[in-house]
């Protein structure tokens, strides 16, 4: 039914992933042509930068951060039971919601699967990225609670 499924992953919280695995597997295995695009976004730190703190220590090597994020993303993807040839990995940096929405358009996603918020944080029913995706995405969004 779905052909291009986008699964944004927050690699800093593995419990997030645990919530969505079964749903992604079910949706992607409904047809054998569905591609699953995993994306992790490395957030920028404008707040620290505005205080000049980003320059206080040695600036982290962007390429190294990217490689480590990609390795972590690959580790997480291994937990999903989806044929390898139907998986695509993406990495971006910036605002998670903006990058998620941008990639959704680029790959013509017909479904985005996200968790509603961090498992430990119950104050909001929808996290800020989840809320923006539900509001602005041009395709269906499955919010896993
Ligand atoms: P919270 O505000 O509780 O952290 P979010 O709205 O940020 O909740 O997270 C909901 C979903 O948004 C996550 O399950 C994940 O799919 C996506 N998401 C959040 N941060 C990122 C990120 N840095 N990279 C990719 N996806 C993310």
């Amino acid at each position: 039914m779905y052909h291009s499924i986008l699964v944004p992953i927050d690699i800093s919280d593995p419990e997030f992933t645990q919530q969505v695995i079964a749903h992604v597997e079910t949706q992607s295995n409904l047809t054998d042509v569905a591609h699953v695009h995993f994306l992790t976004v490395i957030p920028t730190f404008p707040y620290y930068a505005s205080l000049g703190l980003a320059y206080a220590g040695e600036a982290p090597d962007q390429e190294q951060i990217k490689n480590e994020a990609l390795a972590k993303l690959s580790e997480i993807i291994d937990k999903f039971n989806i044929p390898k040839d139907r998986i695509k990995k993406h990495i971006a940096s910036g605002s998670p919601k903006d990058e998620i929405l941008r990639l959704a358009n680029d790959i013509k996603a017909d479904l985005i699967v996200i968790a509603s918020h961090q498992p430990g944080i119950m104050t909001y029913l929808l996290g800020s990225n989840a809320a923006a995706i539900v509001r602005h995405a041009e395709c269906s969004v499955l919010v896993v609670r």
Side-chain angles (χ1 to χ4, degrees):
M1 150 129 209
Y2 296 109
H3 292 97
S4 182
I5 302 173
L6 175 56
V7 186
I9 298 280
D10 180 350
I11 55 170
S12 68
D13 196 336
E15 267 189 70
F16 252 140
T17 319
Q18 226 40 53
Q19 289 176 273
V20 302
I21 287 180
H23 297 271
V24 174
E25 286 177 355
T26 305
Q27 295 303 329
S28 64
N29 290 326
L30 288 177
T31 78
D32 54 11
V33 293
H35 278 91
V36 183
H37 297 260
F38 289 93
L39 164 69
T40 194
V41 183
I42 303 164
T44 45
F45 302 103
Y47 181 78
Y48 295 110
S50 72
L51 297 175
L53 294 177
Y55 306 103
E58 202 166 297
D61 176 23
Q62 292 303 310
E63 205 51 39
Q64 191 189 343
I65 294 176
K66 235 177 165 173
N67 288 340
E68 279 171 22
L70 199 55
K72 188 94 190 213
L73 180 66
S74 302
E75 232 173 72
I76 291 171
I77 293 173
D78 284 344
K79 297 184 181 151
F80 289 75
N81 184 17
I82 301 167
K84 295 268 176 292
D85 60 337
R86 295 207 265 122
I87 290 177
K88 296 242 156 58
K89 296 175 203 173
H90 304 264
I91 196 147
S93 55
S95 149
K97 52 182 177 290
D98 290 347
E99 294 305 318
I100 292 164
L101 290 165
R102 187 201 312 275
L103 183 64
N105 281 336
D106 287 354
I107 61 168
K108 298 187 173 47
D110 45 16
L111 179 69
I112 303 175
V113 182
I114 51 172
S116 55
H117 57 81
Q118 285 182 31
I121 300 173
M122 300 307 287
T123 323
Y124 301 106
L125 288 177
L126 267 189
S128 60
N129 290 299
I133 295 161
V134 168
R135 187 177 288 260
H136 297 292
E138 289 175 14
C139 64
S140 300
V141 180
L142 173 57
V143 181
V144 179
R145 287 202 209 280

